[in-house]
Amino acid sequence: RRLRFRCAHGGRPDLAVACVGGGWKAIGLFRGFVDDASVELVGVEAGGVGSEAGQHAARFSGGRPGVLHGCLSYLLQDEDGQTQDVHSISAGLDYPGVGPEHSYWKDTGRVDYVSIRDDEALAALQKMARLEGILPAIESSHAIAHVLKAAGERSPKDIIVVCLSGRGDKDVYEVARLLGQSLDG
């Protein structure tokens, strides 16, 4: 990936951003740049509707290390170590754990992890569709929302790469429901 990017763009990105549910799609983007400390990597989690248990799926800001599916990683869990209920408007991010590679990158500081609320992701989805004609998946819209925030604080010369890890056509009925609109008729 790094070589293809350099060939196509004559350099490297300054920032690479991807949503993180279980984390495998983000790993696909980050893997090409993880050894290049000049590329800032940001994983975006589902901030949901609030900070209380069951209102989000932000494992890094609201979880702690635990074992799920045989792997030690960050989890949203209760005091007995049982996974907690989670929430996200995105089915792809609505998960109490994250892969161990992301947990390692968090602990080493190689990747920064942030969360984006449901309403921010929905607004980013609408903006991307309106301005670019691209209908991203709801999960990818979390990453887009972070990029919209980050871009305003960066140089216009910075190259930002965002992982659009899913098509939004699968989410059309859910987005319409969330916006109070009907697609039938």
Side-chain angles (χ1 to χ4, degrees):
R1 281 201 168 92
R2 185 175 29 202
L3 180 60
R4 283 190 305 231
F5 186 88
R6 285 186 179 149
C7 289
H9 301 283
R12 52 147 183 78
D14 297 287
L15 172 63
V17 181
C19 64
V20 178
W24 64 273
K25 293 174 188 173
I27 286 173
L29 174 63
F30 295 164
R31 180 50 86 198
F33 304 108
V34 75
D35 293 331
D36 185 347
S38 68
V39 179
E40 182 182 349
L41 305 176
V42 177
V44 183
E45 298 185 288
V49 295
S51 60
E52 299 297 317
Q55 295 183 339
H56 64 87
R59 289 68 43 108
F60 292 121
S61 61
R64 59 187 166 89
V67 176
L68 180 64
H69 306 305
C71 295
L72 177 64
S73 64
Y74 281 80
L75 303 174
L76 291 169
Q77 55 189 312
D78 64 19
E79 48 286 335
D80 294 324
Q82 300 300 308
T83 57
Q84 291 179 327
D85 288 337
V86 294
H87 166 78
S88 174
I89 59 171
S90 169
L93 301 182
D94 196 12
Y95 186 67
V98 67
E101 194 161 13
H102 283 288
S103 296
Y104 172 75
W105 288 337
K106 158 91 168 123
D107 288 346
T108 62
R110 179 58 189 105
V111 179
D112 292 321
Y113 293 91
V114 299
S115 62
I116 289 291
R117 294 184 323 267
D118 289 352
D119 61 330
E120 295 173 304
L122 192 57
L125 183 150
Q126 293 175 85
K127 189 169 195 168
M128 184 75 138
R130 187 175 58 256
L131 297 178
E132 299 295 334
I134 297 170
L135 186 58
I138 295 173
E139 61 262 24
S140 297
S141 298
H142 286 73
I144 294 165
H146 176 73
V147 167
L148 291 171
K149 287 180 176 183
E153 301 168 2
R154 301 186 74 93
S155 165
K157 294 180 181 181
D158 281 359
I159 298 171
I160 300 173
V161 174
V162 63
C163 180
L164 296 182
S165 57
R167 296 182 358 228
D169 59 331
K170 68 176 176 50
D171 293 329
V172 166
Y173 283 95
E174 179 62 9
V175 170
R177 185 189 70 76
L178 292 166
L179 295 174
Q181 299 175 359
S182 174
L183 297 178
D184 298 325

